[in-house]
Every structure is written in structure tokens, then in C-alpha cells.
Amino acid sequence: VQLVESGGGLVQPGGSLRLSCVVSGFTRVYYVISWFRQAPGKEPEGISCVSSGDDSTYYEDSIEGRFTIFRDTAKNTTYLQMNSLSPDDTAVYYCAARLFERLCGPPLRYEYDYWGQGTQVTVSS
């Protein structure tokens, strides 16, 4: 199982970025893809997830209404569209996969076995 993120970068406050997570190495199983982020000096936090079973989603309060998670099954890719970015969103963003799971809820690190390498998002003027 492999996850590869891309799309990070430097953006001004109020700007937008779209992160991508290409997933490979498993088929015909239910799974949940989550996005985590780790800001400097802080613990990683799970901020969003989407279920392959019914496309249900979860958003942590601080990103609700600004970020959108969605999947393109033809491309085996999960996206995180991030709008109205603020300096508080600066972090390394990771996608992670949890296989044989249909329920999407507040992501917890120990539940995920497969992780991408991370992509840096910096929000600064």
C-alpha cells in the first residue's frame, strides 16, 4: 500500500491550495482516507476523513466550512481543497489510509497503518 501526497506550498492568507493523495496497492476493500496535519511544536491532529463506502465525511471544527475532502475513484486520488487559509493552517499535511473500514469519524493516529510522506503547507504574507 502506498500513499503519495502533493500540492503543498506557500500561499498568502486568504488563499487556497488543493492537496492530492494518490493511493495504490489495494483494491476491492472498504477504506477510509484521512488527512492529518502537524504544526511546528504541536502534536499531529486528524482534521478530515472520507469513507469509500458511502463518501461520508468528517471535518474538525477549525476547518469546517473552509476545507473540502473528496475522492476521484477513477484516479485513486483523495483531495483536500483548502480555502480561506490562515497562518494557523501552516503545517505538514499527511494523508493516511485505514483499510477494511466503512466509518469515517474523528481520525486517530493509531487507527491508521498506511501513511504518505507529507507535504508542507505554509500560509504567510
Side-chain angles (χ1 to χ4, degrees), residues 77-110:
T77 301
T78 298
Y79 300 94
L80 186 68
Q81 176 67 41
M82 307 186 296
N83 299 328
S84 301
L85 286 161
S86 78
D88 289 341
D89 297 313
T90 295
V92 178
Y93 285 70
Y94 300 88
C95 63
R98 184 181 178 189
L99 305 187
F100 311 108
E101 178 60 55
R102 299 190 187 198
L103 299 178
C104 172
L108 301 174
R109 278 184 292 163
Y110 70 84

Short mmCIF file of all heavy atoms in Angstrom, two decimals, residues 77-110:
data_model
loop_
_atom_site.label_atom_id
_atom_site.label_comp_id
_atom_site.label_asym_id
_atom_site.label_seq_id
_atom_site.Cartn_x
_atom_site.Cartn_y
_atom_site.Cartn_z
N THR A 77 -7.52 8.84 -6.17
CA THR A 77 -6.98 10.03 -5.52
C THR A 77 -8.02 10.65 -4.59
O THR A 77 -9.19 10.75 -4.94
CB THR A 77 -6.54 11.06 -6.57
OG1 THR A 77 -5.55 10.47 -7.42
CG2 THR A 77 -5.94 12.29 -5.91
N THR A 78 -7.55 11.04 -3.43
CA THR A 78 -8.36 11.80 -2.49
C THR A 78 -7.77 13.20 -2.39
O THR A 78 -6.54 13.35 -2.31
CB THR A 78 -8.38 11.14 -1.11
OG1 THR A 78 -8.97 9.83 -1.23
CG2 THR A 78 -9.19 11.95 -0.12
N TYR A 79 -8.65 14.18 -2.41
CA TYR A 79 -8.21 15.57 -2.40
C TYR A 79 -8.64 16.26 -1.10
O TYR A 79 -9.64 15.89 -0.49
CB TYR A 79 -8.82 16.33 -3.57
CG TYR A 79 -8.46 15.77 -4.92
CD1 TYR A 79 -9.29 14.85 -5.56
CD2 TYR A 79 -7.31 16.18 -5.57
CE1 TYR A 79 -8.96 14.33 -6.80
CE2 TYR A 79 -6.97 15.68 -6.82
CZ TYR A 79 -7.81 14.75 -7.43
OH TYR A 79 -7.48 14.25 -8.65
N LEU A 80 -7.88 17.29 -0.76
CA LEU A 80 -8.29 18.20 0.30
C LEU A 80 -8.20 19.61 -0.26
O LEU A 80 -7.10 20.13 -0.46
CB LEU A 80 -7.41 18.05 1.54
CG LEU A 80 -7.86 18.87 2.76
CD1 LEU A 80 -9.19 18.32 3.30
CD2 LEU A 80 -6.80 18.87 3.85
N GLN A 81 -9.37 20.16 -0.58
CA GLN A 81 -9.43 21.53 -1.07
C GLN A 81 -9.45 22.46 0.13
O GLN A 81 -10.35 22.36 0.98
CB GLN A 81 -10.69 21.73 -1.92
CG GLN A 81 -10.89 23.15 -2.41
CD GLN A 81 -9.83 23.59 -3.40
OE1 GLN A 81 -9.44 22.83 -4.27
NE2 GLN A 81 -9.35 24.82 -3.26
N MET A 82 -8.49 23.35 0.19
CA MET A 82 -8.35 24.24 1.34
C MET A 82 -8.52 25.68 0.89
O MET A 82 -7.73 26.19 0.09
CB MET A 82 -6.97 24.04 1.99
CG MET A 82 -6.66 22.59 2.33
SD MET A 82 -5.12 22.40 3.26
CE MET A 82 -3.93 22.98 2.06
N ASN A 83 -9.55 26.32 1.42
CA ASN A 83 -9.84 27.72 1.09
C ASN A 83 -9.72 28.59 2.34
O ASN A 83 -9.70 28.08 3.46
CB ASN A 83 -11.24 27.84 0.50
CG ASN A 83 -11.42 27.06 -0.77
OD1 ASN A 83 -10.48 26.90 -1.55
ND2 ASN A 83 -12.64 26.56 -1.00
N SER A 84 -9.64 29.88 2.13
CA SER A 84 -9.57 30.84 3.24
C SER A 84 -8.49 30.46 4.23
O SER A 84 -8.71 30.45 5.45
CB SER A 84 -10.93 30.94 3.94
OG SER A 84 -11.94 31.33 3.04
N LEU A 85 -7.32 30.16 3.71
CA LEU A 85 -6.23 29.71 4.56
C LEU A 85 -5.73 30.82 5.46
O LEU A 85 -5.71 32.00 5.07
CB LEU A 85 -5.09 29.15 3.71
CG LEU A 85 -5.37 27.78 3.09
CD1 LEU A 85 -4.44 27.50 1.92
CD2 LEU A 85 -5.24 26.70 4.15
N SER A 86 -5.31 30.45 6.64
CA SER A 86 -4.74 31.39 7.60
C SER A 86 -3.40 30.85 8.07
O SER A 86 -3.10 29.67 7.91
CB SER A 86 -5.69 31.57 8.78
OG SER A 86 -5.60 30.46 9.66
N PRO A 87 -2.59 31.71 8.69
CA PRO A 87 -1.30 31.23 9.21
C PRO A 87 -1.44 30.04 10.17
O PRO A 87 -0.52 29.22 10.27
CB PRO A 87 -0.74 32.46 9.91
CG PRO A 87 -1.30 33.61 9.12
CD PRO A 87 -2.69 33.17 8.75
N ASP A 88 -2.58 29.94 10.85
CA ASP A 88 -2.80 28.80 11.74
C ASP A 88 -2.89 27.47 11.01
O ASP A 88 -2.83 26.41 11.64
CB ASP A 88 -4.08 29.01 12.56
CG ASP A 88 -3.93 30.10 13.61
OD1 ASP A 88 -2.78 30.44 13.95
OD2 ASP A 88 -4.96 30.61 14.07
N ASP A 89 -3.06 27.51 9.71
CA ASP A 89 -3.13 26.28 8.93
C ASP A 89 -1.75 25.79 8.50
O ASP A 89 -1.64 24.73 7.88
CB ASP A 89 -4.01 26.49 7.69
CG ASP A 89 -5.44 26.81 8.03
OD1 ASP A 89 -6.02 26.11 8.89
OD2 ASP A 89 -6.00 27.76 7.45
N THR A 90 -0.72 26.55 8.80
CA THR A 90 0.63 26.14 8.45
C THR A 90 1.00 24.85 9.17
O THR A 90 0.90 24.77 10.40
CB THR A 90 1.63 27.26 8.82
OG1 THR A 90 1.37 28.41 8.01
CG2 THR A 90 3.07 26.80 8.60
N ALA A 91 1.41 23.86 8.40
CA ALA A 91 1.71 22.54 8.96
C ALA A 91 2.21 21.63 7.85
O ALA A 91 2.10 21.97 6.67
CB ALA A 91 0.45 21.93 9.59
N VAL A 92 2.72 20.49 8.26
CA VAL A 92 2.94 19.40 7.32
C VAL A 92 1.65 18.57 7.30
O VAL A 92 1.15 18.17 8.36
CB VAL A 92 4.13 18.52 7.71
CG1 VAL A 92 4.28 17.36 6.72
CG2 VAL A 92 5.41 19.35 7.77
N TYR A 93 1.15 18.34 6.10
CA TYR A 93 -0.11 17.62 5.93
C TYR A 93 0.19 16.21 5.43
O TYR A 93 0.96 16.02 4.48
CB TYR A 93 -1.02 18.35 4.95
CG TYR A 93 -1.66 19.58 5.54
CD1 TYR A 93 -0.91 20.72 5.83
CD2 TYR A 93 -3.02 19.61 5.83
CE1 TYR A 93 -1.49 21.84 6.39
CE2 TYR A 93 -3.62 20.73 6.39
CZ TYR A 93 -2.84 21.84 6.67
OH TYR A 93 -3.42 22.95 7.23
N TYR A 94 -0.45 15.25 6.07
CA TYR A 94 -0.28 13.84 5.74
C TYR A 94 -1.63 13.22 5.40
O TYR A 94 -2.63 13.51 6.07
CB TYR A 94 0.30 13.06 6.92
CG TYR A 94 1.64 13.52 7.42
CD1 TYR A 94 1.74 14.51 8.39
CD2 TYR A 94 2.81 12.94 6.93
CE1 TYR A 94 2.97 14.92 8.86
CE2 TYR A 94 4.05 13.35 7.41
CZ TYR A 94 4.12 14.34 8.37
OH TYR A 94 5.35 14.74 8.83
N CYS A 95 -1.64 12.35 4.41
CA CYS A 95 -2.82 11.52 4.24
C CYS A 95 -2.50 10.12 4.77
O CYS A 95 -1.33 9.70 4.80
CB CYS A 95 -3.29 11.47 2.79
SG CYS A 95 -2.14 10.74 1.62
N ALA A 96 -3.53 9.44 5.21
CA ALA A 96 -3.37 8.12 5.79
C ALA A 96 -4.56 7.26 5.42
O ALA A 96 -5.67 7.77 5.21
CB ALA A 96 -3.24 8.22 7.31
N ALA A 97 -4.34 5.96 5.34
CA ALA A 97 -5.39 5.02 4.94
C ALA A 97 -5.65 4.00 6.03
O ALA A 97 -4.72 3.50 6.68
CB ALA A 97 -5.00 4.30 3.65
N ARG A 98 -6.91 3.73 6.20
CA ARG A 98 -7.36 2.71 7.14
C ARG A 98 -8.21 1.73 6.34
O ARG A 98 -9.30 2.09 5.86
CB ARG A 98 -8.18 3.35 8.26
CG ARG A 98 -8.61 2.40 9.34
CD ARG A 98 -9.44 3.13 10.38
NE ARG A 98 -9.92 2.24 11.44
CZ ARG A 98 -10.79 2.56 12.37
NH1 ARG A 98 -11.30 3.80 12.40
NH2 ARG A 98 -11.16 1.70 13.27
N LEU A 99 -7.72 0.49 6.16
CA LEU A 99 -8.39 -0.49 5.33
C LEU A 99 -9.48 -1.22 6.10
O LEU A 99 -9.45 -1.28 7.33
CB LEU A 99 -7.39 -1.48 4.76
CG LEU A 99 -6.21 -0.90 3.98
CD1 LEU A 99 -5.40 -2.02 3.35
CD2 LEU A 99 -6.66 0.10 2.95
N PHE A 100 -10.40 -1.82 5.35
CA PHE A 100 -11.48 -2.64 5.91
C PHE A 100 -12.32 -1.84 6.91
O PHE A 100 -12.75 -2.37 7.94
CB PHE A 100 -10.92 -3.90 6.58
CG PHE A 100 -9.94 -4.65 5.72
CD1 PHE A 100 -8.59 -4.64 6.03
CD2 PHE A 100 -10.36 -5.32 4.59
CE1 PHE A 100 -7.68 -5.32 5.23
CE2 PHE A 100 -9.46 -6.00 3.78
CZ PHE A 100 -8.11 -6.00 4.11
N GLU A 101 -12.52 -0.58 6.60
CA GLU A 101 -13.28 0.29 7.48
C GLU A 101 -14.25 1.11 6.64
O GLU A 101 -13.87 1.62 5.58
CB GLU A 101 -12.35 1.22 8.26
CG GLU A 101 -13.06 2.20 9.17
CD GLU A 101 -13.91 1.49 10.22
OE1 GLU A 101 -13.36 0.66 10.95
OE2 GLU A 101 -15.12 1.78 10.29
N ARG A 102 -15.51 1.21 7.11
CA ARG A 102 -16.50 1.99 6.39
C ARG A 102 -16.85 3.30 7.08
O ARG A 102 -17.43 4.19 6.46
CB ARG A 102 -17.80 1.19 6.25
CG ARG A 102 -17.67 -0.10 5.48
CD ARG A 102 -19.04 -0.68 5.21
NE ARG A 102 -18.99 -2.01 4.61
CZ ARG A 102 -20.00 -2.58 3.98
NH1 ARG A 102 -21.14 -1.93 3.87
NH2 ARG A 102 -19.89 -3.77 3.47
N LEU A 103 -16.55 3.36 8.35
CA LEU A 103 -16.99 4.52 9.12
C LEU A 103 -15.92 5.60 9.14
O LEU A 103 -14.75 5.33 9.43
CB LEU A 103 -17.34 4.10 10.55
CG LEU A 103 -18.46 3.08 10.68
CD1 LEU A 103 -18.67 2.71 12.14
CD2 LEU A 103 -19.75 3.62 10.07
N CYS A 104 -16.37 6.82 8.85
CA CYS A 104 -15.47 7.97 8.89
C CYS A 104 -15.80 8.81 10.10
O CYS A 104 -16.93 9.28 10.22
CB CYS A 104 -15.64 8.77 7.59
SG CYS A 104 -14.78 10.34 7.57
N GLY A 105 -14.86 8.97 10.98
CA GLY A 105 -15.07 9.76 12.18
C GLY A 105 -13.80 10.48 12.55
O GLY A 105 -12.83 10.46 11.78
N PRO A 106 -13.77 11.15 13.68
CA PRO A 106 -12.55 11.87 14.07
C PRO A 106 -11.32 10.97 13.97
O PRO A 106 -11.23 9.97 14.69
CB PRO A 106 -12.84 12.27 15.52
CG PRO A 106 -14.33 12.36 15.59
CD PRO A 106 -14.83 11.26 14.68
N PRO A 107 -10.39 11.31 13.06
CA PRO A 107 -9.25 10.41 12.83
C PRO A 107 -8.32 10.35 14.03
O PRO A 107 -7.94 11.40 14.59
CB PRO A 107 -8.56 11.03 11.61
CG PRO A 107 -9.56 11.95 11.00
CD PRO A 107 -10.37 12.44 12.14
N LEU A 108 -7.91 9.14 14.37
CA LEU A 108 -6.94 8.93 15.44
C LEU A 108 -5.72 8.25 14.86
O LEU A 108 -5.86 7.27 14.11
CB LEU A 108 -7.56 8.06 16.55
CG LEU A 108 -8.81 8.64 17.21
CD1 LEU A 108 -9.41 7.65 18.18
CD2 LEU A 108 -8.49 9.94 17.92
N ARG A 109 -4.56 8.71 15.18
CA ARG A 109 -3.34 8.24 14.54
C ARG A 109 -3.17 6.73 14.63
O ARG A 109 -2.77 6.08 13.66
CB ARG A 109 -2.12 8.93 15.16
CG ARG A 109 -1.82 10.30 14.62
CD ARG A 109 -0.56 10.83 15.23
NE ARG A 109 -0.72 11.09 16.65
CZ ARG A 109 0.31 11.26 17.48
NH1 ARG A 109 1.54 11.14 17.05
NH2 ARG A 109 0.09 11.52 18.75
N TYR A 110 -3.48 6.16 15.81
CA TYR A 110 -3.18 4.75 16.00
C TYR A 110 -4.06 3.84 15.13
O TYR A 110 -3.77 2.67 14.96
CB TYR A 110 -3.32 4.37 17.47
CG TYR A 110 -4.74 4.36 18.00
CD1 TYR A 110 -5.56 3.27 17.84
CD2 TYR A 110 -5.25 5.47 18.67
CE1 TYR A 110 -6.86 3.26 18.33
CE2 TYR A 110 -6.55 5.49 19.16
CZ TYR A 110 -7.35 4.37 18.98
OH TYR A 110 -8.63 4.38 19.47
#
